Amino acid sequence: MKVQVLKKTSNELKIEIEGEGHSLCNVLQKALIEDDTVDMAGYNVPHPLVSKAIVYVRTKERRKPEAAIKDAVKKIRAQNKEFRASLEKALKSYRRSES
Amino acid sequence: MKVQVLKKTSNELKIEIEGEGHSLCNVLQKALIEDDTVDMAGYNVPHPLVSKAIVYVRTKERRKPEAAIKDAVKKIRAQNKEFRASLEKALKSYRRSES
Amino acid sequence: MKVQVLKKTSNELKIEIEGEGHSLCNVLQKALIEDDTVDMAGYNVPHPLVSKAIVYVRTKERRKPEAAIKDAVKKIRAQNKEFRASLEKALKSYRRSES
Amino acid sequence: MKVQVLKKTSNELKIEIEGEGHSLCNVLQKALIEDDTVDMAGYNVPHPLVSKAIVYVRTKERRKPEAAIKDAVKKIRAQNKEFRASLEKALKSYRRSES
């Protein structure tokens, strides 16, 4: 995966992600949209057969767009970690109830 | 459902959709992204508990953003229509093979 | 687009859609999930490079799965129609305010 | 987040996730669908206002469904980690080119 900054202003960030398509963009966008300091989040997959995506985020007031995207990544990571732990626990508890 | 134009320039359109959330936005965005004349498409659901969404589209060169969004709607409609017909046909053909 | 019924019981329907991928499946699944008589809705795109998708729906009690999927299609259609009308109205009203 | 196993057979796993909705389910389903050993993946959010989701996965042949879901989680995590590193690198390289 290769990321490139295409545009960066105080409230806008546009990055190109090589080697990824809809899947990662979708997750990122959902996490960005849940952030109150984000004004708009979108993406584009310019060529359906080329695995290259562009993610765009625009923040409100003094919120830096790169901070918003880093926070989105952290949030996905924390959610994933929590799910993994809860799943393990559930599978163990189920096995115990079965035996 | 109530739609309001928030911003309109030669290449940008930002609309607010009252009475809809992620679901419609997702479909619209996917259809917009598949359009080569679209530079970026995104959306936001500012308040998770309020059914109000903002859709944003930015087009390339001389493509009008309102034309892009209208074409996206047409495309979804045509796809839906085709699926409905194909599904009916499949169900009939299955019933025939069963009896 | 070609649809084929792969499995049909009183509460389950599994169809194969040739010529479509994630996009249509996603919309269908979302609409199916919003239906209270639907127990589970899922899909699969077995080969990422082949445009063929499998949609699966399981309904509750006496609800027929083919009725659930037809209702999902109707719902998407109605939403689309309403959006189109509301968008036209919004664009007209914006133009009037501009001139 | 609390996870509970609702059903588990040699090829099927159905879990309930309390405290999560469409967002996590979507990511999980996408990752599951990309797995060749997965026959079908779906989910349901039975009550839109209650943050509780049900995820369902059915695997092929001897693949254990709990292994498929654990691998999906691992994959999302690896993708996230890689993106984070690539993003940091891109932001640094951009800052350098700016100064």
Side-chain angles (χ1 to χ4, degrees):
Chain A
M1 199 190 310
K2 211 189 141 182
V3 176
Q4 207 187 329
V5 176
L6 299 183
K7 189 188 174 180
K8 195 165 95 74
T9 69
S10 57
N11 283 97
E12 279 178 301
L13 182 64
K14 196 175 172 177
I15 56 170
E16 188 190 78
I17 311 172
E18 241 186 276
E20 290 295 331
H22 285 277
S23 182
L24 175 66
C25 294
N26 232 312
V27 189
L28 273 178
Q29 188 189 23
K30 285 265 169 71
L32 284 167
I33 284 171
E34 281 168 25
D35 181 338
D36 278 350
T37 67
V38 166
D39 178 43
M40 190 63 58
Y43 71 89
N44 195 7
V45 181
H47 310 285
L49 299 175
V50 180
S51 184
K52 198 184 269 191
I54 289 163
V55 169
Y56 171 76
V57 60
R58 195 165 60 215
T59 48
K60 294 177 191 165
E61 294 157 30
R62 296 194 182 177
R63 168 72 151 170
K64 285 186 185 168
E66 61 269 32
I69 213 164
K70 280 184 196 175
D71 283 355
V73 172
K74 268 186 212 162
K75 198 182 153 185
I76 299 163
R77 202 187 168 196
Q79 194 192 42
N80 192 280
K81 201 179 168 180
E82 201 187 339
F83 175 65
R84 206 171 41 130
S86 301
L87 176 70
E88 282 293 356
K89 220 170 144 182
L91 288 168
K92 260 181 208 160
S93 140
Y94 185 82
R95 253 173 271 146
R96 225 176 297 130
S97 74
E98 285 289 279
S99 58
Chain B
M1 199 190 310
K2 211 189 140 184
V3 176
Q4 206 187 329
V5 175
L6 299 183
K7 188 188 175 181
K8 195 165 96 71
T9 68
S10 57
N11 283 97
E12 279 178 301
L13 182 64
K14 197 176 172 177
I15 57 171
E16 188 191 78
I17 312 171
E18 240 186 276
E20 290 294 332
H22 285 276
S23 182
L24 176 65
C25 294
N26 231 313
V27 189
L28 272 178
Q29 188 189 23
K30 285 265 170 73
L32 284 166
I33 284 172
E34 281 168 24
D35 182 338
D36 278 350
T37 67
V38 166
D39 177 43
M40 190 65 57
Y43 71 89
N44 195 6
V45 180
H47 310 286
L49 300 174
V50 180
S51 184
K52 196 183 270 191
I54 289 162
V55 169
Y56 171 77
V57 59
R58 194 164 63 214
T59 48
K60 294 176 190 165
E61 294 157 28
R62 297 194 180 174
R63 169 71 152 171
K64 285 187 184 168
E66 61 269 33
I69 214 165
K70 281 184 196 175
D71 282 355
V73 172
K74 267 186 214 164
K75 197 182 152 185
I76 298 164
R77 202 186 169 199
Q79 192 192 44
N80 193 281
K81 201 179 168 183
E82 202 188 339
F83 175 66
R84 205 172 41 132
S86 300
L87 177 70
E88 282 293 354
K89 219 170 144 182
L91 288 167
K92 259 181 210 161
S93 142
Y94 185 82
R95 253 174 269 146
R96 225 176 298 131
S97 73
E98 287 288 279
S99 59
Chain C
M1 202 191 307
K2 212 188 140 184
V3 176
Q4 207 187 329
V5 175
L6 299 183
K7 189 188 175 181
K8 196 166 95 73
T9 69
S10 57
N11 282 97
E12 279 178 303
L13 182 63
K14 196 176 172 176
I15 56 170
E16 186 190 79
I17 312 172
E18 240 185 276
E20 290 295 333
H22 286 276
S23 181
L24 176 66
C25 294
N26 231 314
V27 189
L28 272 177
Q29 187 188 23
K30 285 265 168 73
L32 284 166
I33 284 171
E34 282 168 22
D35 182 337
D36 277 350
T37 68
V38 166
D39 177 43
M40 190 63 58
Y43 71 88
N44 195 6
V45 180
H47 310 285
L49 299 175
V50 180
S51 184
K52 197 185 269 191
I54 289 162
V55 169
Y56 172 77
V57 60
R58 195 164 61 215
T59 48
K60 294 176 190 164
E61 294 157 29
R62 296 193 182 177
R63 168 72 152 171
K64 284 186 184 168
E66 61 270 32
I69 213 164
K70 280 184 196 175
D71 283 355
V73 172
K74 268 186 212 162
K75 197 182 152 186
I76 299 164
R77 203 186 168 198
Q79 193 192 43
N80 192 281
K81 202 179 167 180
E82 202 188 339
F83 175 66
R84 206 170 41 130
S86 302
L87 177 70
E88 282 292 356
K89 221 171 143 181
L91 288 169
K92 260 182 209 161
S93 140
Y94 186 82
R95 254 174 269 145
R96 225 176 297 129
S97 74
E98 286 289 279
S99 59
Chain D
M1 198 190 312
K2 211 189 141 184
V3 175
Q4 206 187 329
V5 175
L6 300 182
K7 188 188 176 181
K8 195 166 95 74
T9 70
S10 57
N11 283 96
E12 278 178 302
L13 181 65
K14 197 176 172 176
I15 57 170
E16 188 191 78
I17 312 172
E18 242 187 276
E20 290 294 333
H22 285 277
S23 181
L24 177 66
C25 294
N26 232 313
V27 189
L28 272 178
Q29 188 188 22
K30 286 264 170 71
L32 284 166
I33 285 171
E34 281 168 24
D35 182 338
D36 278 350
T37 67
V38 166
D39 178 42
M40 191 64 58
Y43 71 89
N44 195 7
V45 181
H47 310 285
L49 298 175
V50 180
S51 183
K52 197 184 268 191
I54 290 162
V55 169
Y56 171 77
V57 59
R58 194 164 64 215
T59 48
K60 294 177 190 165
E61 295 158 26
R62 297 193 181 176
R63 168 73 153 171
K64 286 186 183 169
E66 62 270 32
I69 213 164
K70 280 183 198 176
D71 282 356
V73 172
K74 267 185 214 165
K75 197 181 152 185
I76 299 163
R77 202 188 169 198
Q79 193 191 43
N80 193 281
K81 202 180 167 180
E82 202 188 339
F83 175 65
R84 206 173 40 131
S86 301
L87 177 69
E88 283 292 357
K89 220 170 143 181
L91 288 169
K92 259 182 211 163
S93 139
Y94 186 81
R95 253 174 270 146
R96 225 176 298 131
S97 73
E98 286 290 277
S99 58

